[in-house]
């Protein structure tokens, strides 16, 4: 059987892309406006149709027949919370996702977002999104998933929207959240020891928890670090210096009891990327791509649940999606 197809918008550096590929989806297009992220996608998947441009200019009618519309659209800014969907704010791309759904008419839709969209102040906004999807003939649900429940060694809660045609929604079940993550130390000890740092093993034993949510930041701010003050305190408990990103792992002269900084590759592992996935650009650019990514293992799990519905392998009546249902999985 031919693989299912997906058009992905706001693809970034490929976290969701890779997860959906692992779930059996073939990209007919990966749309991304950031030049460096597009270069990363092309580097890792030269055969993909990477569309570098504004999703607002994409004509969904040419993608009719595609099985899945997916994307990690930017979160609506808090300034529009409680306001009408479609409020003219260039940072809000949910209206564009809905437009593409209307033009494409895919059997399935999957949109990933940050936890903030689950807050009460966005209740009216979410209701409007669901109402529009209902008008388009979909059953839809929002769900909060913690990446740590899918083997990713950081908490990273993500707010997921899945919308399906009613005959498919009757088969849908949210992915089971039962894969315990390794600790930060277990995940990174080989990378910390790669240049001969004698403190790598003792550091790994001390880094005995999972990471706080990694923050990618925006282009408006300066160099990379691991988040705001509270996050840096959490990193300190893991014996990680969160004030910056290192160019390379600590070497043999690095003090045994000092706190190392993470490299981009280390952060990528904590996001669930395989070491084979490369990131283009300088350190700050590469870190931003990693930090803003959707962990591939979570995308894979949700993608597999959708693929099971599309293939008819999911048992009918598994779990009917209901409008304005907010399930919490993996907390």
């Amino acid at each position: 059987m031919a693989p299912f197809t997906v058009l992905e918008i706001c693809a970034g550096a490929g976290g969701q892309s890779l997860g959906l590929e692992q779930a059996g989806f073939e990209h007919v297009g990966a749309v991304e406006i950031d030049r460096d992220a597009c270069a990363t996608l092309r580097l890792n998947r030269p055969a993909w149709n990477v569309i570098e441009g504004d999703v607002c200019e994409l004509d969904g009618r040419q993608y009719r027949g595609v099985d899945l519309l997916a994307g990690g659209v930017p979160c609506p800014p808090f300034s529009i919370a409680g306001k009408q969907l479609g409020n003219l704010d260039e940072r809000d791309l949910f209206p564009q996702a809905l437009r593409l759904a209307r033009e494409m008419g895919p059997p399935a839709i999957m949109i990933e977002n940050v936890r903030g969209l689950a807050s009460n102040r966005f209740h009216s906004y979410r209701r409007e999104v669901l109402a529009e999807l209902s008008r388009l003939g979909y059953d839809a649900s929002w769900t909060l998933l913690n990446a740590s429940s899918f083997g990713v060694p950081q908490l990273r809660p993500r707010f997921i929207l899945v919308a399906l045609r009613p005959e498919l929604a009757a088969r849908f079940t949210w992915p089971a959240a039962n894969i315990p993550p390794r600790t930060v130390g277990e995940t990174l000890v080989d990378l910390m020891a790669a240049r001969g740092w004698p403190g790598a093993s003792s550091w790994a034993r001390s880094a005995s928890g999972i990471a706080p949510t990694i923050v990618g930041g925006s282009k408006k701010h300066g160099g990379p670090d691991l988040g705001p003050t509270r996050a840096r305190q959490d990193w300190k408990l893991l014996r990680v210096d969160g004030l910056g990103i290192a160019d390379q792992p600590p070497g043999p002269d690095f003090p045994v009891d000092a706190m190392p900084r993470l490299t981009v590759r280390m952060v990528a592992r904590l996001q669930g990327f395989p070491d084979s996935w490369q990131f283009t650009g300088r350190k700050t650019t590469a870190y931003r791509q990693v930090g803003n990514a959707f962990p591939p293992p979570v995308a894979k799990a949700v993608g597999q649940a959708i693929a099971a519905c599309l293939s008819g392998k999911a048992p009918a009546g598994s779990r009917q999606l209901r409008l304005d249902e907010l399930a919490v999985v993996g907390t």
Side-chain angles (χ1 to χ4, degrees), residues 296-308:
V298 187
K300 177 183 178 181
V302 180
Q304 287 175 326
I306 294 172

Side-chain angles (χ1 to χ4, degrees), residues 109-233:
I109 301 168
M110 171 187 171
I111 302 295
E112 173 261 345
N113 218 292
V114 298
R115 184 178 189 169
L117 190 57
S119 64
N120 288 335
R121 67 190 307 178
F122 282 110
H123 176 76
S124 296
Y125 189 92
R126 295 196 306 268
R127 290 280 296 184
E128 287 204 51
V129 171
L130 293 173
E132 178 60 21
L133 286 169
S134 180
R135 286 190 287 269
L136 293 175
Y138 294 95
D139 286 351
S141 175
W142 303 93
T143 298
L144 190 65
L145 300 177
N146 285 331
S148 59
S149 300
F150 297 87
V152 179
Q154 62 166 308
L155 180 60
R156 201 166 190 84
R158 310 311 291 172
F159 198 42
I160 314 296
L161 171 69
V162 170
L164 297 163
R165 296 298 184 190
E167 66 276 13
L168 298 176
R171 297 179 176 274
F172 183 77
T173 200
W174 290 105
N178 57 7
I179 305 174
R182 296 192 299 170
T183 67
V184 169
E186 291 169 335
T187 303
L188 301 181
V189 61
D190 63 317
L191 295 180
M192 282 295 182
R195 294 186 58 243
W197 180 37
S201 294
S202 61
W203 170 84
R205 290 191 293 271
S206 298
S208 58
I210 64 171
T213 298
I214 294 168
V215 179
S218 69
K219 293 182 178 180
K220 295 180 180 180
H221 298 88
D225 59 42
L226 293 176
T229 301
R230 180 177 178 180
R232 290 197 291 269
Q233 290 300 316

Side-chain angles (χ1 to χ4, degrees), residues 304-318:
Q304 287 175 326
I306 294 172
C309 294
L310 292 171
S311 66
K313 293 181 179 179
S318 297

